[in-house]
Amino acid sequence: MENSINNIIKNLKLACEFFSESTSQERRDQLLNDWDFGSFIIGDDDGVIYEKCKCDLEQSVFTVKTINLIEPKLSTPYNPFSPQYLETDSDIIRLASIMVDTAVGKSDPIKPYLRSGMKSLLTALIAYVTSDTAAASRSLYGVIEMLKNNSRSDGYGVTQTDTLFDRLKEKNPYCLAAKQYEIYRNSDWDNLNFISDYLLKLLYFYENDDISSIILADDEMDVKSFAEKPTVLFFITPAHENIYVPFTQTAYFQLKSILSRQKSRVQDGLPIIEYSE
């Protein structure tokens, strides 16, 4: 067992050095010496580190989970809209912002107010499907379906999604979904069309077969347990392939946020050891 653990730590140290170059050697040594008190998130191009550690991990105290974009069917099901991740309005706002920024990219010349409009619309849709729909619809694909019903073919008029939010506003005008959708609808007609259509194009990315097989309604990631028992989560992605970056960045930022919050809740619990890109 001791040799097995030593092999794991040796390979995780490689990950630390590669993915956290700014981490001081003193801090690395501290983290590695405290291996049995923490959990790891590892960015892993082509699954190289996972393959080196796989056999040893099976015999260790670590629970192993993966988001595997090389063999998606081997991934741990992960639903970013799971109630355990979206406890507050701030969680929804933060998730929508991350999703838009990672999909659009920092260098995209899209005007700030249009980017902001997409964030408001996405926030409204996420808030709606996670609180006002059946559990089976509480997924990203419920949001995509609502966007498809928000198409203004003639450039004007009231859409099916507009009607849903009009009803919601009458019922609960101060809820997050209603307020954010109202912010979106305050744009002029041309911007309304652009915001909705552009956001739909961005989210079509998530209908990629590889990603859709990972994002399921029934989440099994249970990231909160990472603060209670040693766990290693591998983000396994094809090296030199950028197509998955919006998804992996969004997932990493969301999981990191939940871990940080969970860590502060657990008295005398396991500190979280994170290695990221």
Side-chain angles (χ1 to χ4, degrees):
M1 176 66 75
E2 184 176 352
N3 288 336
S4 175
I5 294 301
N6 288 337
N7 286 334
I8 293 170
I9 297 304
K10 177 182 177 181
N11 286 297
L12 294 183
K13 184 176 181 180
L14 293 176
C16 174
E17 291 175 347
F18 185 78
F19 290 103
S20 298
E21 295 179 359
S22 61
T23 305
S24 69
Q25 186 61 51
E26 180 181 358
R27 179 58 176 157
R28 293 176 192 171
D29 292 341
Q30 179 186 358
L31 294 176
L32 294 170
N33 289 334
D34 293 338
W35 67 266
D36 56 335
F37 296 105
S39 295
F40 297 80
I41 299 177
I42 303 293
D44 190 5
D45 284 351
D46 287 338
V48 173
I49 301 168
Y50 176 69
E51 288 301 322
K52 287 182 179 179
C53 297
K54 185 177 180 181
C55 292
D56 291 326
L57 284 168
E58 290 175 352
Q59 305 172 53
S60 74
V61 296
F62 287 101
T63 298
V64 179
K65 301 188 178 185
T66 66
I67 290 180
N68 189 333
L69 289 162
I70 296 177
E71 297 182 83
K73 292 183 179 180
L74 300 180
S75 295
T76 304
Y78 157 65
N79 182 0
F81 290 3
S82 171
Q84 67 175 313
Y85 307 140
L86 302 181
E87 294 183 347
T88 67
D89 287 355
S90 294
D91 292 333
I92 296 174
I93 294 169
R94 187 180 301 112
L95 176 60
S97 180
I98 292 170
M99 290 179 69
V100 170
D101 284 339
T102 54
V104 173
K106 294 181 180 180
S107 61
D108 192 289
I110 185 172
K111 295 178 180 178
Y113 67 88
L114 296 175
R115 187 188 293 255
S116 178
M118 282 190 282
K119 292 180 180 180
S120 293
L121 176 56
L122 184 55
T123 297
L125 297 178
I126 294 174
Y128 187 94
V129 302
T130 55
S131 63
D132 285 70
T133 62
S137 299
R138 293 174 187 171
S139 72
L140 182 57
Y141 306 107
V143 166
I144 291 174
E145 190 61 31
M146 293 182 74
L147 280 171
K148 290 177 179 177
N149 292 330
N150 203 37
S151 175
R152 294 173 170 82
S153 57
D154 60 355
Y156 301 95
V158 177
T159 68
Q160 293 182 43
T161 301
D162 288 339
T163 301
L164 285 176
F165 278 91
D166 285 341
R167 293 171 182 168
L168 178 63
K169 186 177 179 180
E170 291 179 3
K171 178 182 176 182
N172 190 356
Y174 301 111
C175 70
L176 178 65
K179 289 190 294 184
Q180 290 294 314
Y181 199 79
E182 192 65 20
I183 292 173
Y184 153 70
R185 288 185 74 176
N186 282 335
S187 301
D188 63 40
W189 283 107
D190 288 338
N191 287 339
L192 282 179
N193 298 331
F194 176 87
I195 289 169
S196 183
D197 292 345
Y198 197 90
L199 181 59
L200 181 58
K201 289 179 181 178
L202 294 180
L203 296 187
Y204 270 141
F205 161 82
Y206 286 91
E207 293 191 301
N208 176 292
D209 289 342
D210 292 343
I211 295 176
S212 63
S213 65
I214 297 172
I215 302 179
L216 302 176
D218 296 325
D219 181 272
E220 296 179 14
M221 189 63 68
D222 190 20
V223 69
K224 290 183 178 180
S225 70
F226 289 25
E228 299 166 0
K229 56 187 177 182
T231 304
V232 184
L233 168 60
F234 290 92
F235 276 78
I236 299 174
T237 56
H240 313 299
E241 177 58 78
N242 294 325
I243 186 175
Y244 299 112
V245 169
F247 169 59
T248 56
Q249 286 187 348
T250 295
Y252 173 75
F253 283 121
Q254 183 180 44
L255 297 180
K256 179 181 177 182
S257 174
I258 301 304
L259 285 174
S260 298
R261 184 165 63 201
Q262 185 68 0
K263 176 183 174 181
S264 67
R265 292 176 176 175
V266 178
Q267 297 271 335
D268 300 322
L270 301 172
I272 300 304
I273 303 172
E274 300 174 9
Y275 298 118
S276 67
E277 294 180 320

